[in-house]
């Protein structure tokens, strides 16, 4: 490896574009920043050696070089952007509508969207944001971010640290702001220096060469910004672990006591009472009258679960209810969660469900279907299954299916909860005769004797549903998120970086005396107008010529050239 | 001499750069692998083969053992098969008759069955026990506590526990009679 020794005596690392100390363009490397095609120097990263791609490279170096390319980073971001956009075309797996004929992704996408849907599913876009390749894509962006930043920050810092007040004249003359002045006295130079000092420039001098610098701090903005992004990515990684992030859901019925999922059996919740308030119930809601009437459904104003949270003793045996201690008795309302043991529980939905059914017994021959007797059956946890009615009739619930469906004319139980209850009753008449068996459900009142080929007598009595009571089932979300402060910190650092880079400017002004002239050059990373004003102010009342904006000159020159060509 | 020193320095520098780059790349790749892994790994159950089976205590529902509580730790010394099920699970229903048959054979070999039902409805459950004529203990886990304790996600799920109270295997699918026999033979106490 050859080091590049500049004529000022400074030894630069391989790949340097502009000498770190004096800024003289290193011959042969000008193509890197395209300096050979322009009059003005490209001051990006101070012309420091960013990538050591001229070395004999090991495998590690090659990976490093790959990721240190901004081009690669931009391509990765573009791919991620495109993929994320495609992921929003059709609903994600989790958001397949409830009412879809089939919620199985393998069926849903093809059935709903045809061939495109099938391809969408097969390429894994239906579960994009959790798919391994999407995660790897995001991780690659993270790697690119870290390596690009390191590969630029370190040489830039080095170059800014090593820069000397004495700059090469080529470096100066190829700056955007540049002028040459004759006959400048030492007093005038001194005056400029003091004015710059007053404007809070840092002044360094060497052999009468003056270097004024301000706001170097602004150059670190993008890197501070990247640190913020990296912290956000780390937070996102931690969010995939149950230790830092937990998200569970629970349906709990009024009166039911359940273990809170995700809490390692530490907590139980008992749902005491559910309250649903809708708009339009109170007088003050009158002002929303029109809005309410435009809705087909009731608009919920508040829903609330009054519950008891129990904590289980640490060394208790599971299932032992004596080991439970009341932790709190919260009212969990929409947007007013309750907190226990690091968990937060939100009210996030409700359902209505049958809680009990009332029946009447009547004689099939009675056209008025007058009730012989009535009884009420608890659907969730029935304690009473034999009902003695007036006149000595007894009705026994022989079988109860909370949620049944008919499979080949045989009732099968579909779930545990009373969504579509079905009953087999035995009616014992007062004379102690044979009980009559019948099957009843919503919309069904079935006498088995009608299909019985043995020709049994038809039932004399029927049972009809007269009333249904409902109860609420509360949907509660349980979360624990320790990554939020980390996200916040990342966002804060990100913002600090943005502000640092946006609201400050790195301004540099060089005064370079030669044998008969004084060269004045200036550079800033943004706001050229500002630095021009600073120079104007500094050279006021002196014979120093105001710096010309060579960019404008260059542009004009180009315009002229193209005009001539026409 | 100077040349040699320079060469030496160059070599050191190259080595340092190599170490620096390798270690940063290593950390970044490790973080990536961790993120992808932890996001895609299947829900791990808290307890697995080799662990001590966590204890529980639930109310008996089978009339054969009327009004007693069953505590798992009381069964130490016997091989225990816990079966998680409920009445609305039709694959569980398919298993019931031969579970009953198998129980009769293996009870004398020192094996106990514990059927943990996650039903909410005691009445429905009792009717079910009667209709299948079950003779093994049935307990009701109506607060989901034991189900969560064993991280049961599928029904039926079976946990085979040896005489020392140690989990030998967890099977999360419907079993055929001969399969069940093989698993039970493994937990027959010596």
């Amino acid at each position: 490896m050859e080091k590049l020794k500049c004529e000022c005596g400074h030894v630069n690392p391989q790949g340097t574009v502009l000498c770190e100390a004096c800024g003289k363009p290193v011959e042969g490397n000008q193509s890197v920043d395209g300096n050979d095609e322009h009059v003005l120097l490209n001051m990006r990263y101070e012309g420091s050696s960013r990538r050591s791609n001229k070395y004999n490279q090991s495998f590690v170096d090659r990976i490093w070089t790959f990721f240190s390319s901004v081009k690669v980073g931009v391509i990765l971001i573009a791919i991620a952007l495109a993929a994320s956009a495609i992921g929003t075309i059709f609903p994600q797996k989790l958001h397949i509508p409830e009412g879809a004929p089939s919620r199985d992704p393998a069926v849903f996408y093809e059935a709903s969207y045809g061939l495109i849907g099938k391809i969408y599913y097969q390429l894994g876009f239906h579960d994009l944001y959790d798919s391994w390749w999407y995660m790897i894509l995001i991780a690659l962006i993270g790697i690119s971010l870290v390596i690009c930043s390191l590969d630029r920050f370190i040489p830039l810092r080095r170059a800014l640290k090593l820069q000397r007040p004495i700059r090469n004249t080529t470096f100066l003359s190829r700056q955007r702001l540049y002028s040459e002045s004759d006959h400048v006295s030492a007093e005038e130079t001194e005056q400029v220096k003091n004015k710059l000092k007053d404007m809070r420039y840092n002044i360094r001098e060497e052999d009468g060469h003056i270097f004024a610098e301000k706001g170097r701090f602004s150059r670190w903005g993008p890197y501070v910004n990247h640190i913020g992004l990296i912290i956000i990515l780390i937070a996102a990684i931690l969010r995939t672990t149950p230790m830092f992030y937990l998200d569970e859901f629970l349906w709990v019925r009024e009166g039911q006591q359940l273990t809170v999922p995700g809490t390692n059996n530490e907590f139980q919740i008992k749902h005491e009472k559910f309250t649903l308030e809708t708009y339009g119930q109170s007088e003050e809601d009158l002002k929303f009258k029109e809005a309410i009437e435009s809705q087909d459904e009731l608009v919920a104003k508040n829903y609330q679960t009054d519950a008891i949270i129990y904590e289980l003793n640490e060394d208790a045996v599971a299932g032992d209810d004596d080991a439970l201690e009341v932790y709190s008795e919260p009212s969990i309302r929409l947007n007013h969660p309750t907190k226990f043991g690091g968990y937060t529980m939100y009210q996030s939905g409700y359902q209505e469900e049958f809680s009990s059914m009332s029946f009447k017994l009547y004689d099939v021959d009675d056209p008025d279907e007058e009730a012989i007797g009535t009884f009420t059956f608890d659907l969730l946890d029935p304690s009473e299954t034999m009902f003695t009615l007036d006149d000595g009739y007894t009705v026994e619930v022989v079988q109860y299916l909370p949620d049944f469906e008919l499979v080949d004319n045989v009732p099968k139980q579909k779930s545990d909860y009373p969504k579509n209850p079905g009953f087999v009753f035995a009616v014992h008449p007062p004379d102690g005769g044979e009980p009559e068996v019948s099957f009843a459900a919503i919309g069904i009142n079935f006498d088995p004797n009608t299909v019985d080929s043995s020709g049994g007598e038809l039932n004399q009595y029927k049972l009809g549903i007269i009333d249904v009571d409902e109860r609420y089932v509360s949907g509660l979300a349980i979360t624990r998120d320790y990554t939020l402060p980390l996200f916040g910190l990342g966002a804060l650092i990100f913002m600090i970086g943005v502000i640092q880079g946006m609201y400050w400017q790195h301004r540099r002004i060089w005064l370079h005396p030669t044998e008969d002239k004084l060269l004045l050059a200036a550079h800033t990373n943004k706001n050229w107008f500002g630095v021009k004003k600073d120079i104007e102010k500094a050279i006021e009342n002196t014979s120093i010529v105001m710096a010309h904006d060579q960019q404008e000159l260059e542009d004009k020159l180009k315009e002229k050239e193209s005009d001539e060509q026409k | 001499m100077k040349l040699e020193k320079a060469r030496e320095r160059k070599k050191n520098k190259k080595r340092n750069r190599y170490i620096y780059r390798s270690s940063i790349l290593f950390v970044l790749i490790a973080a990536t692998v961790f993120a992808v892994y932890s996001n895609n790994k299947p829900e791990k159950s808290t307890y697995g083969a080799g662990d001590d089976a966590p204890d529980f205590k639930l109310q008996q529902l089978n009339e054969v053992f009327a009004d007693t509580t069953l505590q798992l730790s009381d069964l130490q010394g016997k091989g225990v098969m816990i079966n998680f099920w409920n009445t609305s699970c039709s694959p569980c229903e398919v298993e019931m008759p031969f579970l009953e048959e198998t129980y009769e054979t293996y009870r004398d070999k020192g094996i106990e069955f514990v059927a943990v039902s996650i039903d909410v409805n005691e009445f429905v459950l009792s009717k079910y026990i009667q209709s299948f004529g079950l003779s093994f203990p049935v307990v009701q886990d109506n607060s989901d506590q034991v189900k969560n304790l064993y991280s049961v996600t599928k029904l039926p799920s079976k946990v085979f526990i040896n005489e020392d109270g140690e989990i030998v295997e967890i099977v999360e699918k419907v079993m055929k009679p001969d399969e069940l026999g093989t698993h039970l033979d493994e937990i027959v106490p010596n």
Side-chain angles (χ1 to χ4, degrees):
Chain A
M1 178 188 71
E2 263 179 60
K3 292 273 189 182
L4 300 163
K5 190 165 180 181
C6 182
E7 58 175 49
C8 68
H10 182 74
V11 179
N12 291 296
Q14 175 71 266
T16 302
V17 180
L18 303 172
C19 171
E20 290 171 330
C22 74
K24 182 175 186 280
V26 176
E27 230 169 287
N29 281 351
Q30 295 312 299
S31 59
V32 175
D33 280 335
N35 284 341
D36 42 1
E37 294 161 20
H38 295 281
V39 180
L40 295 184
L41 288 175
N42 186 343
M43 290 288 286
R44 198 162 34 171
Y45 309 115
E46 300 297 293
S48 58
S49 167
R50 307 197 288 281
R51 259 173 283 159
S52 328
N53 47 5
K54 288 181 179 115
Y55 291 130
N56 249 349
Q57 289 197 323
S58 67
F59 179 63
V60 170
D61 286 331
R62 247 180 257 167
I63 295 178
W64 189 271
T65 314
F66 175 77
F67 282 115
S68 73
S69 155
V70 168
K71 213 189 260 171
V72 168
V74 170
I75 291 171
L76 285 172
I77 291 172
I79 296 172
L81 209 62
S84 309
I86 292 171
T88 64
I89 295 178
F90 299 138
Q92 287 285 296
K93 191 177 80 178
L94 277 175
H95 302 292
I96 293 177
E98 291 270 353
S102 171
R103 299 196 73 209
D104 179 4
V107 181
F108 173 76
Y109 290 95
E110 196 182 352
S112 311
Y113 310 108
L115 181 66
I116 300 172
K118 192 181 181 181
I119 297 170
Y120 193 83
Y121 168 70
Q122 282 172 345
L123 291 178
F125 282 109
H126 68 291
D127 191 17
L128 177 72
Y129 308 109
D130 282 324
S131 71
W132 61 269
W133 63 267
Y134 186 80
M135 288 202 71
I136 288 179
L137 199 58
I138 300 297
L140 290 181
I141 292 174
I143 295 176
S144 159
L145 195 69
V146 171
I147 294 183
C148 277
S149 304
L150 283 173
D151 230 39
R152 283 165 180 73
F153 170 71
I154 292 169
L156 176 66
R157 185 168 152 266
R158 185 182 143 97
L160 287 176
K161 224 172 152 182
L162 292 174
Q163 62 180 335
R164 288 172 56 186
I166 307 176
R167 285 284 170 148
N168 186 281
T169 48
T170 323
F171 174 84
L172 296 176
S173 65
R174 289 179 69 183
Q175 291 301 321
R176 182 166 159 183
L177 292 180
Y178 178 70
S179 73
E180 294 178 10
S181 318
D182 297 320
H183 317 296
V184 179
S185 68
E187 288 84 54
E188 284 176 320
T189 323
E190 191 65 22
Q191 191 190 325
V192 173
K193 194 183 94 179
N194 287 331
K195 283 221 174 138
L196 285 171
K197 218 179 239 169
D198 290 343
M199 283 185 270
R200 297 180 179 222
Y201 276 84
N202 286 317
I203 311 284
R204 272 162 67 200
E205 270 180 284
E206 195 177 343
D207 287 348
H209 297 76
I210 295 168
F211 168 47
E213 188 184 22
K214 192 179 181 180
R216 189 194 283 187
F217 153 84
S218 152
R219 297 290 288 270
W220 314 135
Y223 307 102
V224 172
N225 184 315
H226 284 184
I227 291 171
L229 282 181
I230 290 161
I231 292 175
I232 289 172
L233 276 175
I234 291 172
I237 290 176
L238 292 178
R239 207 165 197 262
T240 62
T241 64
M243 255 267 275
F244 285 87
Y245 180 75
L246 183 131
D247 185 14
E248 299 275 356
F249 198 87
L250 173 76
W251 286 112
V252 58
R253 281 148 185 83
E254 273 179 288
Q256 202 179 17
Q257 183 170 337
L258 284 179
T259 304
V260 182
T263 62
N264 294 322
N265 272 336
E266 263 177 74
F267 291 96
Q268 289 195 9
I269 179 166
K270 176 147 200 234
H271 183 173
E272 291 277 306
K273 187 181 174 324
F274 192 83
T275 315
L276 174 71
E277 287 171 53
T278 53
Y279 278 103
Q281 286 176 340
S282 67
E283 247 167 67
E284 58 179 307
D285 292 343
L286 279 175
K287 55 186 171 213
F288 305 124
K289 201 171 165 235
E290 274 177 46
I292 295 164
E293 279 171 359
S294 69
Q295 299 288 317
D296 290 336
E297 307 171 348
L298 289 173
V299 183
K301 186 179 185 179
N302 174 35
Y303 39 109
Q304 168 177 335
T305 306
D306 294 330
I308 304 175
I309 306 282
Y310 293 98
E311 192 179 14
L312 193 71
N313 288 339
E314 244 170 68
D315 36 34
V317 174
D320 188 356
D321 285 346
D322 300 337
L324 293 172
E325 271 173 33
V326 175
Y327 181 89
S328 63
E329 295 183 40
S331 290
I332 309 160
R333 274 186 296 145
L334 204 59
N335 300 331
H336 292 86
T338 182
K339 289 186 180 178
F340 51 90
Y343 303 96
T344 311
M345 189 178 255
Y346 296 88
Q347 181 70 57
S348 61
Y350 70 92
Q351 286 176 5
E352 277 174 279
E353 196 181 71
F354 300 133
S355 61
S356 68
M357 262 185 188
S358 302
F359 298 90
K360 66 170 179 183
L361 181 72
Y362 62 91
D363 194 319
V364 278
D365 298 331
D366 181 358
D368 297 335
E369 299 185 355
E370 204 187 313
I372 298 168
T374 61
F375 63 93
T376 302
F377 184 74
D378 183 347
L379 295 172
L380 189 67
D381 197 3
S383 48
E384 210 183 343
T385 57
M386 283 283 262
F387 301 92
T388 309
L389 307 179
D390 297 342
D391 302 337
Y393 288 93
T394 307
V395 178
E396 185 189 358
V397 181
V398 181
Q399 206 180 5
Y400 161 49
L401 300 170
D403 184 17
F404 85 98
E405 60 181 350
L406 285 175
V407 181
D408 301 328
N409 270 327
V410 179
K412 278 271 174 202
Q413 197 181 327
K414 217 164 73 181
S415 84
D416 249 12
Y417 293 106
K419 288 177 186 152
N420 184 25
F423 309 86
V424 177
F425 292 112
V427 180
H428 299 271
D431 53 20
E434 276 293 298
E436 285 183 10
V437 174
S438 64
F439 181 76
I442 298 167
I444 301 178
N445 204 325
F446 179 69
D447 179 354
N449 296 317
T450 53
V451 289
D452 198 347
S453 52
S454 63
E457 263 179 68
L458 292 184
N459 286 344
Q460 184 62 41
Y461 303 101
K462 264 194 175 172
L463 283 148
I465 299 167
I466 50 172
D467 198 13
V468 174
D469 267 343
E470 288 186 329
R471 138 185 53 216
Y472 289 103
V473 188
S474 176
L476 298 166
I478 302 104
T479 61
R480 187 181 63 188
D481 192 350
Y482 290 144
T483 62
L484 276 180
L486 208 53
F487 277 110
L489 179 72
L492 179 73
I493 293 177
F494 180 93
M495 271 322 286
I496 290 173
V498 170
I499 292 165
Q500 191 176 340
M502 295 283 264
Y503 291 92
W504 278 267
Q505 301 109 36
H506 184 212
R507 293 174 180 171
R508 279 175 293 175
I509 299 168
W510 294 275
L511 289 173
H512 186 107
T514 59
E515 273 164 29
D516 52 349
K517 284 180 181 165
L518 178 76
L519 311 185
L520 168 79
H523 181 78
T524 179
N525 60 343
K526 65 174 88 61
N527 190 3
W528 292 85
F529 179 77
V531 76
K532 275 182 209 168
K533 286 209 89 165
D534 278 1
I535 298 170
E536 270 168 15
K537 209 169 158 191
I539 62 172
E540 227 177 2
N541 303 324
T542 66
S543 61
I544 299 171
V545 181
M546 178 57 201
H548 319 291
D549 193 329
Q550 301 201 84
Q551 177 84 58
E552 284 170 15
L553 292 177
E554 195 178 15
D555 290 347
K556 270 182 198 155
L557 225 66
K558 267 190 197 156
E559 244 170 66
K560 224 182 199 176
E561 256 175 52
S562 59
D563 283 350
E564 274 164 20
Q565 277 170 0
K566 278 177 196 165
Chain B
M1 203 50 204
K2 220 180 164 185
L3 196 73
E4 243 170 62
K5 248 189 191 162
R7 213 173 268 162
E8 185 70 20
R9 210 182 310 136
K10 191 181 114 188
K11 219 174 133 188
N12 278 341
K13 221 178 156 186
K14 210 169 164 187
R15 201 194 53 212
N16 288 342
R17 195 188 69 222
Y18 184 80
I19 294 170
Y20 159 74
R21 291 186 169 181
S22 311
S23 40
I24 286 176
L25 277 174
F26 175 78
V27 170
L28 292 174
I29 290 168
T32 308
V33 170
F34 173 76
V36 173
Y37 170 76
S38 66
N39 200 47
N40 285 296
K41 73 173 171 202
E43 291 277 318
K44 200 185 116 255
S45 71
T46 344
Y47 296 95
D51 292 329
D52 281 336
D55 197 11
F56 58 83
K57 185 171 155 188
L58 291 173
Q59 188 70 36
Q60 280 272 13
L61 280 193
N62 198 334
E63 278 175 9
V64 183
F65 311 89
D67 278 342
T68 55
T69 45
L70 181 144
Q71 187 158 355
L72 182 69
S73 51
D74 292 343
L75 297 175
Q76 236 171 51
K78 283 181 173 178
V80 178
M81 188 205 72
I82 306 176
N83 185 31
F84 288 94
W85 64 290
N86 84 1
T87 52
S88 53
C89 146
S90 47
C92 308
E93 196 173 309
V94 174
E95 282 186 338
M96 275 307 157
F98 76 76
L99 279 184
E100 178 59 30
E101 269 172 46
T102 320
Y103 177 62
E104 279 159 21
T105 335
Y106 277 88
R107 183 168 38 182
D108 301 334
K109 296 185 186 170
I111 282 188
E112 193 57 78
F113 283 13
V114 178
V116 179
S117 158
I118 55 164
D119 276 279
V120 281
N121 206 313
E122 200 182 310
F123 175 68
V124 174
L125 186 56
S126 312
K127 286 283 172 194
Y128 190 97
I129 296 168
Q130 276 171 25
S131 69
F132 280 91
L134 303 180
S135 60
F136 46 78
V138 177
V139 294
Q140 187 187 9
D141 180 29
N142 52 7
S143 70
D144 289 351
Q145 216 177 4
V146 178
K147 179 189 148 213
N148 285 347
L149 188 63
Y150 280 85
S151 306
V152 174
T153 50
K154 284 180 198 152
L155 295 181
S157 278
K158 293 180 187 59
V159 184
F160 295 89
I161 300 166
N162 68 16
E163 71 220 71
D164 303 320
E166 199 179 88
I167 297 174
V168 176
E169 204 172 0
I170 298 175
V171 183
E172 289 189 320
K173 58 165 190 166
V174 183
M175 295 180 104
K176 294 194 177 65
D178 51 331
E179 255 184 295
L180 180 65
T182 333
H183 280 93
L184 288 175
D185 287 335
E186 280 171 33
I187 56 166
V188 170
N190 298 318

